[in-house]
Every structure is written in C-alpha cells, then in structure tokens.
Amino acid sequence: MKATIQFIEKELDGLYPSIEIQGFIRLIFENVCQLSYTDLVLRKNDRINSLAKEQIQIIIKRLKKFEPIQYILGETEFVGLKITVNPAVLIPRPETEELVDWIIRLADLKSPGILDIGTGSGCIALAIKSQMQAANISAIDISEEALIVAKQNAIQNKLEVDFFLADILTWEDKKWGDFDVIVSNPPYVREMEKKKMHTNVLGFEPAKALFVPDSDPLIFYQRISEFAIKYLKKGGWLFFEINENLGKEMIQLIQNLGFKNIQIRKDINGKNRMLCGNK
Ligand code: GLN
C-alpha cells in the first residue's frame, strides 16, 4: 500500500495542492479497496491486489486530466447522503449543504410542501427529505438525464421525492399546487466569470447547469421569483443559492416582487451565497 500511496503522490505532485492529493488518496482507497482512513494508517504495509492497482492507475490517469474525482468515482457525499453523480449533473457543493441547513432551521414547519427547482442530482430535495421526514417534496429539472440520476439517488437513499420534467422558464404552461417552501440553485455563473474557473469545472460539468448570459444573469431568479409569488402560500419561504457578486441585485429583485423579511447569508468562505424571503 505504501508504494501505491507514493505512486499517487508522485504522479499528482505539482498538479494539485498536497492537501487535495491526500483527500484523493483517502477517497480512492475507500472506494477501490473499501479501506477507511484508519485502515490506511494501520495497514500501510499490506499488499494491495493487482486489480485494485490497475483501477487506481486508471483513476490517476483521469485525475491528471483534471476530471473531477466525484465523476471518476461516480459518487459524492452530501449532508450525509451518498449521491450518485455523472456529467449530466452538477457535483453538489459544500455551500449548498449550508443552504439546506438554513432551510431546515428557518422553515421549521410540521409537514411542509416543498418544491426544488433545477434539482440536478436531487441533492437539495433529498437532503431536506432526509432531515424533515414529514415534508412533501417535489423537484423539477429541464434535463431528462439529470432526472434519471435524481431518481436513482432517491431509491438508493430510500427517500421519497416526486421528481418530474419541467422548464421553469415556461411555468405558465402548467398547473401547479401551492407550496410552503420553494428552493432553487439555478445556473448563475456569468460568461465573464468563466476565466476564473478551473478546468475540472469548465471541462467536465454541465454548462447548462452553470452559465447564464452576461446580458441577463438573473433570468432564472426573475422567472422563479415570479412563479414563487404566485404559488407560495402566504408566509411561505423562497430560498436561493446566489452568485456572490449579485447579492444587492437579488435583494432588489425579490423586493420588487413583494417578498418580505429578506435575508442574505454568507457561506463558509465569507461570500454572499444564500438568500431568502417571505411571501
Ligand atoms: N457554485 C457553483 C460554481 O461556482 C455554481 C452553481 C450554479 O451555477 N448554480 O461552480
């Protein structure tokens, strides 16, 4: 095992910060050899079989091309749930876990009706359901491929969420029920912000889930907020994950539509990342 760890460290040296390489090593051994971090420390001198070695070599090859480890391994963790991911869905981010946490604490209702818009892997909807069993949760996405992943995640986590295909930009075409909580983490990265992004995001994650035109960066927020002001129950909550650079504009947008008690919350990196308001 020692030699394999050294091989990984040597191959990835200079491509990733060493703390990230150590994280990869943990994930790789957990996934390929079902070994915990403690095993890794205590059984350093054990041999690993040649099949595992081969698998690890393939993983390293892909990491050298900056493919995200979550796509390579096909899964990630989100609020304690094992979430399957593939390039049809965005990889769940830690800041989105903070959004889920905020929703659960603020919208502490008995059996709320909740809608997640642009659900992707289903991570937000499923994480809320896992923490609020009595909630009635629906989730939509425009991507059929994403919904396949989301439904698989519901089954593997034994959680009930009603997933269906819909385009929120044309919400007037459908009939909807009323909701206590509407949440969305829509695309919000402006084309002009692409420069700052890493190859692992730009080259591999679904552009449709990430980018908005510079000329209309709040297009999804505008349409979702209009939808929410119609379909939220009185006193219901709207929650968004937002672009850190557009906090003021976001407050303005939902204020103009009549939302009250608007709050912005920073993520763990001190960036304006979440917003909520009451109807
Ligand atoms: N936070 C994501 C990123 O920076 C973007 C998520 C989104 O566009 N909804 O990659």
Side-chain angles (χ1 to χ4, degrees):
M1 206 140 68
K2 232 177 179 168
T4 307
I5 293 175
Q6 279 166 0
F7 162 78
I8 300 174
E9 284 171 342
K10 190 172 134 280
E11 289 291 305
L12 300 181
D13 184 41
L15 296 176
Y16 294 94
S18 67
I19 185 146
E20 210 171 337
I21 297 174
Q22 294 312 313
F24 291 152
I25 291 172
R26 272 175 87 148
L27 284 174
I28 290 170
F29 278 95
E30 214 175 274
N31 214 274
V32 177
C33 310
Q34 283 75 49
L35 289 177
S36 69
Y37 183 63
T38 327
D39 294 332
L40 210 59
V41 176
L42 294 179
R43 297 166 53 182
K44 251 197 170 126
N45 295 318
D46 286 13
R47 294 194 143 272
I48 58 170
N49 67 52
S50 54
L51 180 68
K53 255 191 206 156
E54 240 170 76
Q55 279 178 289
I56 291 173
Q57 273 164 0
I58 295 169
I59 293 171
I60 298 305
K61 228 186 192 161
R62 292 170 73 176
L63 279 174
K64 285 171 91 170
K65 293 184 185 147
F66 297 105
E67 187 172 346
I69 186 81
Q70 296 90 339
Y71 287 156
I72 300 174
L73 301 177
E75 65 181 35
T76 190
E77 220 185 275
F78 186 81
V79 193
L81 303 177
K82 196 175 259 190
I83 297 289
T84 290
V85 291
N86 68 27
V89 300
L90 211 62
I91 296 164
R93 307 285 205 267
E95 51 269 33
T96 310
E97 292 185 314
E98 294 185 65
L99 175 67
V100 167
D101 184 59
W102 200 32
I103 295 170
I104 287 159
R105 280 188 290 118
L106 275 191
D108 182 20
L109 306 165
K110 273 234 157 57
S111 52
I114 301 179
L115 177 67
D116 174 23
I117 298 173
T119 194
S121 65
C123 64
I124 295 178
L126 294 167
I128 297 175
K129 182 70 184 173
S130 75
Q131 309 277 316
M132 277 183 159
Q133 260 107 54
N136 230 313
I137 309 189
S138 304
I140 62 167
D141 206 283
I142 194 179
S143 157
E144 270 177 90
E145 290 84 9
L147 288 171
I148 292 170
V149 179
K151 287 176 187 168
Q152 186 181 331
N153 281 322
I155 293 168
Q156 82 195 20
N157 287 290
K158 300 191 176 64
L159 292 167
E160 210 178 299
V161 168
D162 191 13
F163 289 104
F164 59 97
L165 191 71
D167 176 4
I168 199 61
L169 296 181
T170 56
W171 60 264
E172 284 100 336
D173 299 348
K174 264 195 193 346
K175 276 221 160 76
W176 304 78
D178 285 343
F179 302 98
D180 297 288
V181 176
I182 292 176
V183 54
S184 184
N185 173 18
Y188 60 66
V189 180
R190 290 173 289 182
E191 292 288 330
M192 64 185 196
E193 288 163 334
K194 264 188 183 172
K195 301 190 279 295
K196 287 185 290 179
M197 297 176 83
H198 294 291
T199 316
N200 60 348
V201 178
L202 274 184
F204 296 93
E205 294 202 84
K208 199 157 76 170
L210 285 168
F211 299 111
V212 283
D214 290 345
S215 57
D216 198 3
L218 302 183
I219 173 166
F220 290 101
Y221 296 101
Q222 180 70 37
R223 298 295 288 138
I224 292 168
S225 305
E226 288 164 7
F227 169 85
I229 209 74
K230 182 162 161 98
Y231 284 107
L232 272 177
K233 293 179 193 162
K234 198 167 164 8
W237 295 86
L238 174 62
F239 286 92
F240 280 129
E241 183 173 314
I242 62 167
N243 182 317
E244 72 210 57
N245 301 307
L246 296 170
K248 263 198 216 121
E249 292 82 347
M250 280 303 310
I251 294 177
Q252 197 67 54
L253 188 159
I254 70 168
Q255 210 163 38
N256 288 347
L257 285 165
F259 281 92
K260 296 188 272 297
N261 304 320
I262 300 167
Q263 293 178 55
I264 284 230
R265 207 174 132 96
K266 291 188 194 304
D267 64 19
I268 195 169
N269 300 310
K271 297 181 170 162
N272 287 334
R273 186 62 69 203
M274 296 150 257
L275 175 102
C276 78
N278 270 138
K279 178 169 163 183

